[in-house]
Amino acid sequence: MGGRRAFPRVCAAWWPPRGVCAGRGGDAGLQLPVRGFSKRPGPLGCQPFPGQLRPEHLSREELVVVLRAAVLDQKGPLVTLNKPQGLPVTGKPGELTLLSVLPELSQALGLGKQELQVVRASAKETSGLVLLSACPQTTSRLRKFFIHSRSAQKPTATYCAVTDGIPAASEGKIQAALKLEHMNGVDLAVPVRSASRKDILDGVKRTLSHFRVVASGSGCALVQLQPVTAFPCQLQVHMALQLCPVLGDHTHSARVASVLGRRFLLPAESTRPHGQVLDAALLRRLGLTPAQAALLPLHLHLHRLQLPGAGPRDAPTALLAPLPAYFSRTLQRLGLRLQ
């Protein structure tokens, strides 16, 4: 492919109708008989998180099988898949990542010598949409669209999250200056109060997210999040600042403490990350033991991604990724519904 008209031609053949999730997709695409997955059958106590991926138990060949089954749509050189939670996009040399198996995935999808590149992807602990392209021109144009949208402060990604706690407002925006700080052997995103110009030069970034509570009940909420800026763990930190950490956030939830039913933030500098602690009533509602809750996967899912239309005058379109099975199970247990 080449030339200025390559991208519109591909788009016209590929973009699904607005709000429609094309292709195979769905939870069924993740229920595979490979050893890296939690199985749906069996006692709930043994398999509390159906469909959860365990990349450390997979071979390269098995991971390619998983990713091929997770493909939502493929038209020409463009591929959309629903990434399982826990799979890193990039990593150190020798680590099993999405990027490391793209050559094999390209072959498995019949792309031949056209190797896939990552255009947009959810982070390791986040499930959801991944957009891949085997056409360099298309990759470049889509990346420029996302960069331009971010510069114009127009969010293109919508995440779904289940939170421990209900935000005080039903919708709004969260702003915070964040920096990465090496604490207890890991890099953590921590807030910075009254960030100065020198702080910004030293790596502090002003971040912004929009949120909307879709449903609430049992002391939890289903929240839609739209990041305007991009920073590691931005959404997790933003929800912790709202005193409503994301379920399965075993890092930033440690900052949220409670005394006599009232929540408050602990200083990031003196708070050691630990497994998320859920109250007894919520554990019963979720059907989990404290030990199982310590393994709860992060309930943050890249659900919707807005893309440009096929031509300059065409309306934007949207890709949708179904929720993971464990995420849907949590919603059912809490009586929450994605509208």
Side-chain angles (χ1 to χ4, degrees):
M1 291 181 62
R4 295 175 57 86
R5 301 181 62 182
F7 176 62
R9 186 168 63 249
V10 170
C11 289
W14 181 74
W15 302 141
R18 180 188 294 270
V20 173
C21 179
R24 290 170 282 178
D27 294 339
L30 298 182
Q31 305 306 315
L32 298 174
V34 294
R35 54 195 171 93
F37 272 97
S38 297
K39 298 178 182 178
R40 182 181 292 274
L44 181 60
C46 297
Q47 300 292 351
F49 313 122
Q52 183 184 15
L53 182 69
R54 299 182 182 278
E56 67 274 13
H57 297 158
L58 293 176
S59 66
R60 293 179 65 89
E61 293 77 13
E62 288 173 328
L63 180 56
V64 172
V65 171
V66 169
L67 294 176
R68 187 174 181 182
V71 170
L72 297 173
D73 191 70
Q74 179 184 358
K75 292 287 174 59
L78 284 167
V79 177
T80 310
L81 58 85
N82 194 0
K83 185 184 79 68
Q85 185 270 348
L87 175 64
V89 177
T90 62
K92 298 177 182 178
E95 289 184 347
L96 192 60
T97 65
L98 171 65
L99 202 62
S100 71
V101 297
L102 284 185
E104 293 98 316
L105 183 60
S106 301
Q107 291 293 326
L109 295 177
L111 294 173
K113 296 182 179 180
Q114 295 178 293
E115 188 171 322
L116 289 165
Q117 293 180 296
V118 177
V119 180
R120 186 72 180 262
S122 49
K124 175 184 177 180
E125 298 303 326
T126 307
S127 59
L129 285 164
V130 171
L131 184 59
L132 306 172
S133 170
C135 173
Q137 293 94 333
T138 301
T139 301
S140 176
R141 289 171 185 262
L142 283 170
R143 285 176 176 171
K144 287 179 181 178
F145 166 75
F146 290 126
I147 292 172
H148 175 76
S149 297
R150 187 171 297 151
S151 299
Q153 294 199 333
K154 294 180 179 179
T156 56
T158 300
Y159 291 77
C160 289
V162 180
T163 61
D164 175 21
I166 303 172
S170 60
E171 61 181 309
K173 60 183 180 180
I174 307 168
Q175 300 181 81
L178 301 179
K179 68 175 179 179
L180 286 178
E181 191 165 301
H182 194 74
M183 299 171 58
N184 303 310
V186 295
D187 290 326
L188 295 178
V190 298
V192 177
R193 290 185 177 180
S194 305
S196 64
R197 179 174 296 182
K198 182 180 181 301
D199 291 328
I200 301 300
L201 293 175
D202 290 341
V204 175
K205 183 171 182 178
R206 294 188 176 95
T207 61
L208 170 64
S209 300
H210 297 291
F211 74 93
R212 182 173 71 89
V213 177
V214 176
S216 61
S218 305
C220 296
L222 173 60
V223 182
Q224 286 187 338
L225 295 163
Q226 292 185 315
V228 178
T229 53
F231 196 85
C233 299
Q234 174 178 316
L235 296 178
Q236 294 96 302
V237 175
H238 281 185
M239 293 316 298
L241 292 175
Q242 297 295 299
L243 304 179
C244 301
V246 179
L247 275 184
D249 182 354
H250 302 293
T251 301
H252 308 94
S253 62
R255 290 201 58 205
V256 181
S258 177
V259 174
L260 299 176
R262 300 196 66 175
R263 296 187 174 192
F264 60 93
L265 280 176
L266 296 171
E269 297 77 12
S270 59
T271 306
R272 189 181 187 88
H274 56 72
Q276 189 174 35
V277 178
L278 304 177
D279 63 43
L282 181 54
L283 287 175
R284 286 194 298 270
R285 193 67 186 257
L286 294 174
L288 301 176
T289 66
Q292 290 169 338
L295 303 175
L296 192 70
L298 185 70
H299 282 54
L300 183 63
H301 177 77
L302 179 47
H303 177 61
R304 183 180 186 273
L305 193 61
Q306 182 174 301
L307 299 177
R313 297 183 179 181
D314 293 328
T317 187
L319 302 175
L320 297 178
L323 299 172
Y326 63 83
F327 198 119
S328 297
R329 175 190 173 276
T330 295
L331 294 183
Q332 185 177 21
R333 282 273 183 171
L334 296 175
L336 305 177
R337 184 176 178 181
L338 178 61
Q339 300 173 357

